[in-house]
Amino acid sequence: MSILSLKNIQYTYPLETEPVIKNVSLDLEAGKVYGVIGGNESGKTTLCNIMRGFIPELYKGTLSGDVLFNGKSISEYNIGELAAHIGYSFQNPFTQISGVKETVSEEIAYGMENLGVPREKMIQRVDELIQLFQLDDLKDKNPFELSGGQKQRVALASIVALDPEIIILDEPTSQLDPKSTEDIFKIVKHLKKAGKTIFLVEHKVDLLAEYCDEILVMSAGELVMKGKTTEILTDEKVVQYGGQLPQVTLYFLQAFGNQGKVPLTVAEAFSLLKGSE
Ligand code: ADP
């Protein structure tokens, strides 16, 4: 059974006449990493907000169709409950810091405090997360003193602290430098190993090619492509839909056409070219 199912979702924002999400159906399997691409304003963020129950609860508007978490409609959960199952992090690390805690350790513990996690367990969990997110040197610092990449790691740690089964990341690296971006992707890899299901909206397709099991393509509110990373990110239709293909894949397609195997990464391209010598 899929962990999260969207069934015929259609959504219109308040005071709007046109739906921005049109007939989207989707099943997420537990433990997989899904990369989500598509043009600007194609509905990716709206879809994330539907999956975590913020739409329609907070944004209102008109939603039809069903969202099921472990087979049960998410409308049966309250938003706080749902946040413990479906974690969400978005692109701006600066606005994700609570502003009420003075150290990184306290910030990570904040969500757990709100959920009433026992103190002993909370301390142990914060320690684990500090190791995992490489925050040891920063744990006593004020979260506001951190760089963008460090803040994003703290924001993610606070979400992972609640041990959600699904983690939705909406362009988590869009404001980060390449090194901090790699750090976030390494964390994604670790979370996958820990059995989490990850829904990652991200433009950096070279990295998606490396880390995702499946790719979804959104265009004008519709889910227009969905499949294994190797199938989707070698298909030129992605570009027509406003998405991108990895650099090396585009180069290969231009140079050799869509004949035989098309590489997704530089390493794959090397071995293909070597094999054809
Ligand atoms: P993406 O994340 O792919 O850039 P969005 O989900 O942010 O796309 O936006 C999809 C569409 O919904 C866009 O046309 C956008 O203008 C519209 N939209 C987003 N937020 C709101 C809102 N709060 N009220 C009305 N329209 C909105």
Side-chain angles (χ1 to χ4, degrees):
M1 189 181 71
S2 54
I3 186 162
L4 194 82
S5 290
L6 273 59
K7 299 203 183 297
N8 305 317
I9 293 292
Q10 176 140 320
Y11 175 67
T12 309
Y13 278 105
L15 308 178
E16 300 290 333
T17 49
E18 287 296 308
V20 293
I21 298 293
K22 297 167 200 155
N23 199 27
V24 169
S25 291
L26 171 66
D27 283 309
L28 300 188
E29 269 178 59
K32 281 196 173 173
V33 180
Y34 294 87
V36 186
I37 58 175
N40 278 337
E41 308 221 315
S42 57
K44 302 180 298 296
T45 296
T46 305
L47 200 61
C48 293
N49 279 317
I50 291 170
M51 290 166 64
R52 67 181 181 132
F54 271 45
I55 288 175
E57 188 74 18
L58 302 180
Y59 287 78
K60 309 298 178 193
T62 314
L63 179 72
S64 60
D66 282 323
V67 183
L68 306 175
F69 171 67
N70 278 333
K72 183 172 144 185
S73 171
I74 61 168
S75 60
E76 292 177 38
Y77 296 80
N78 70 42
I79 290 276
E81 249 183 317
L82 206 56
H85 295 292
I86 305 177
Y88 176 78
S89 163
F90 51 94
Q91 49 183 279
N92 189 343
F94 300 91
T95 55
Q96 293 188 77
I97 299 295
S98 70
V100 299
K101 294 294 179 187
E102 283 175 11
T103 69
V104 163
S105 299
E106 290 172 18
E107 179 71 26
I108 296 173
Y110 184 49
M112 287 190 277
E113 246 172 64
N114 288 340
L115 285 181
V117 175
R119 197 174 158 71
E120 277 305 301
K121 190 166 174 214
M122 207 159 71
I123 292 170
Q124 187 197 339
R125 187 97 183 103
V126 170
D127 280 347
E128 285 167 14
L129 289 163
I130 291 213
Q131 298 311 317
L132 171 61
F133 286 79
Q134 295 171 11
L135 294 167
D136 216 16
D137 298 341
L138 306 172
K139 64 180 185 224
D140 298 320
K141 280 207 165 174
N142 188 310
F144 283 110
E145 287 168 19
L146 309 180
S147 70
Q150 292 166 340
K151 279 199 186 87
Q152 189 62 292
R153 291 215 303 277
V154 173
L156 257 179
S158 323
I159 293 157
V160 173
L162 306 183
D163 206 18
E165 292 97 319
I166 301 175
I167 300 173
I168 300 174
L169 303 171
D170 190 357
E171 297 191 28
T173 72
S174 65
Q175 310 200 9
L176 304 186
D177 60 36
K179 162 79 175 66
S180 306
T181 297
E182 286 277 357
D183 289 344
I184 298 293
F185 272 87
K186 279 186 196 142
I187 290 168
V188 166
K189 193 173 179 180
H190 175 90
L191 293 172
K192 178 185 157 78
K193 258 197 194 146
K196 305 294 180 194
T197 309
I198 298 175
F199 192 80
L200 171 60
V201 178
E202 175 63 70
H203 292 294
K204 292 170 186 151
V205 280
D206 295 280
L207 287 163
L208 291 181
E210 217 174 302
Y211 289 90
C212 293
D213 299 300
E214 294 206 7
I215 301 290
L216 316 179
V217 184
M218 291 291 294
S219 174
E222 291 182 65
L223 177 60
V224 288
M225 296 175 85
K226 176 181 183 297
K228 288 205 172 72
T229 303
T230 46
E231 284 161 20
I232 304 291
L233 288 186
T234 53
D235 189 334
E236 281 168 301
K237 281 210 293 291
V238 165
V239 181
Q240 289 155 29
Y241 284 128
Q244 292 166 348
L245 296 181
Q247 283 291 325
V248 65
T249 309
L250 264 184
Y251 169 76
F252 221 84
L253 284 169
Q254 275 162 15
F256 305 109
N258 198 354
Q259 312 279 330
K261 193 168 164 23
V262 181
L264 278 180
T265 60
V266 173
E268 273 177 32
F270 263 123
S271 67
L272 273 176
L273 291 170
K274 265 193 148 170
S276 67
E277 270 171 7

